[in-house]
Amino acid sequence: MILELDCGNSFIKWRVLGADVGRVVGEGVVDSDLALLEGLKGLKGLALKHCRLVSVRTAEETGALISSLTEAFGVSVVCATPAREMSGVRNGYEEFERLGLDRWLAMLGGFHLASGACLVLDFGTAVTADFVARDGEHLGGFICPGMPLMRNQLRTHTRRIRYGDLAAERALESLVPGRTTVEAVERGCVLMLRGFVQAQLDLARSYWGEDFAVFLTGGDADLVSEIVPGARVVPDLVFVGLAMACPLS
Ligand SMILES: Nc1ncnc2c1ncn2[C@@H]1O[C@H](COP(=O)(O)OP(=O)(O)O)[C@@H](O)[C@H]1O
Ligand SMILES: CC(C)(COP(=O)(O)O)[C@@H](O)C(=O)NCCC(=O)O
Ligand SMILES: [K+]
């Protein structure tokens, strides 16, 4: 069995692939190393042979997680590392090692699935957009705050914006102008995200006409999917790229 991990700034996404090619035998989203270990220990018949991991956390945090996994399951862990070029995609950053590895893997996955030009949008703690041309050249991208950061900035830096998670969820049942604080903030932030997406689509069309694929991934992808009808929502896009960057013999 193979354990795959995507360690973002807020959550660790994990899944276990069975011995027969690619079948997912367990998966989850957790907010701590401890919760990950608990989740894995709860799987019946777990027999990990390999583990591959991508992390945008500090080397210390990632190292601690790797030690815990090795100790708990006796598995060796392979980490995705930065590359200038891989699977036909050329990293467009001036310093390729500074590009977020989750972005890099999502691009590898997207370019592989599209076999052509693609726009990759990831809606996590931060929101990222990356442009990959038909020849595999990464043209660069954009980073802006995601939903969790936008709402928390408003909560932290104003005196009168306070509300709970349940109210936040309910507020998004519609996007008409809000009549309560929670509606006004949650809907306002979603419209910011959608505006960002529109700007990326406009730019992609200016480069490639209609000849490109759009991939949406990350925990908040559903908040924007309806405004990009042709987009492919691929929650495991980072894992697609992770398998390409860390093949296991
Ligand atoms: N099943 C889920 N578990 C956790 N977060 C989720 C889930 N579905 C949607 N979300 C939302 O996704 C966002 C986090 O996205 P994610 O891609 O996990 O971020 P990161 O990679 O930065 O940790 C949060 O705003 C969270 O509310
Ligand atoms: C942009 C990110 C913060 C996104 O992280 P996430 O929201 O997925 O947790 C991450 O890819 C990162 O730390 N990148 C390094 C900076 C860069 O890509 O330029
Ligand atoms: K991510």
Side-chain angles (χ1 to χ4, degrees):
M1 292 177 180
I2 302 172
L3 171 61
E4 297 185 321
L5 300 166
D6 169 10
C7 308
N9 281 291
S10 303
F11 295 102
I12 300 173
K13 278 66 69 180
W14 65 269
R15 71 181 186 185
V16 175
L17 304 180
D20 47 327
V21 216
R23 200 168 53 88
V24 177
V25 300
E27 61 188 328
V29 182
V30 291
D31 64 1
S32 69
D33 292 7
L34 202 64
L36 171 66
L37 297 179
E38 296 291 305
L40 287 169
K41 284 176 185 160
L43 281 184
K44 270 189 240 105
L46 183 70
L48 294 180
K49 191 155 178 225
H50 302 283
C51 173
R52 54 188 165 213
L53 169 156
V54 59
S55 173
V56 293
R57 301 182 174 190
T58 63
E60 291 71 27
E61 288 170 289
T62 307
L65 174 59
I66 291 172
S67 301
S68 308
L69 289 168
T70 308
E71 197 175 309
F73 303 105
V75 73
S76 66
V77 179
V78 182
C79 289
T81 54
R84 201 183 295 281
E85 184 161 359
M86 183 172 281
S87 306
V89 181
R90 278 183 309 288
N91 191 319
Y93 257 32
E94 291 173 10
E95 299 177 78
F96 70 91
E97 61 279 9
R98 294 203 180 269
L99 175 72
L101 279 169
D102 54 348
R103 296 172 62 189
W104 174 239
L105 297 185
M107 278 195 272
L108 295 184
F111 186 69
H112 170 72
L113 295 176
S115 318
C118 57
L119 167 61
V120 179
L121 299 167
D122 189 331
F123 300 86
T125 311
V127 170
T128 59
D130 281 287
F131 294 77
V132 183
R134 189 166 47 179
D135 64 357
E137 189 81 44
H138 171 223
L139 306 181
F142 299 93
I143 303 172
C144 74
M147 273 311 270
L149 289 182
M150 287 197 277
R151 66 161 74 89
N152 287 339
Q153 283 296 93
L154 285 167
R155 281 176 180 166
T156 310
H157 296 285
T158 63
R159 307 290 195 288
R160 292 173 193 271
I161 295 181
R162 297 283 180 276
Y163 55 83
D165 293 343
L166 193 66
E169 208 173 305
R170 271 199 232 113
L172 288 177
E173 280 163 11
S174 128
L175 286 179
V176 301
R179 290 174 181 275
T180 61
T181 301
V182 60
E183 287 176 2
V185 171
E186 290 292 311
R187 294 173 191 177
C189 292
V190 166
L191 293 182
M192 292 265 295
L193 282 194
R194 292 185 174 193
F196 177 86
V197 169
Q198 275 313 339
Q200 308 309 318
L201 292 172
D202 291 346
L203 191 55
R205 286 191 195 104
S206 79
Y207 289 147
W208 306 315
E210 294 301 321
D211 193 14
F212 65 94
V214 183
F215 293 94
L216 307 180
T217 192
D220 285 323
D222 289 341
L223 297 179
V224 303
S225 54
E226 76 185 48
I227 67 159
V228 204
R232 293 164 71 174
V233 181
V234 185
D236 66 351
L237 192 63
V238 170
F239 286 143
V240 174
L242 182 61
M244 295 166 66
C246 303
L248 300 165
S249 45

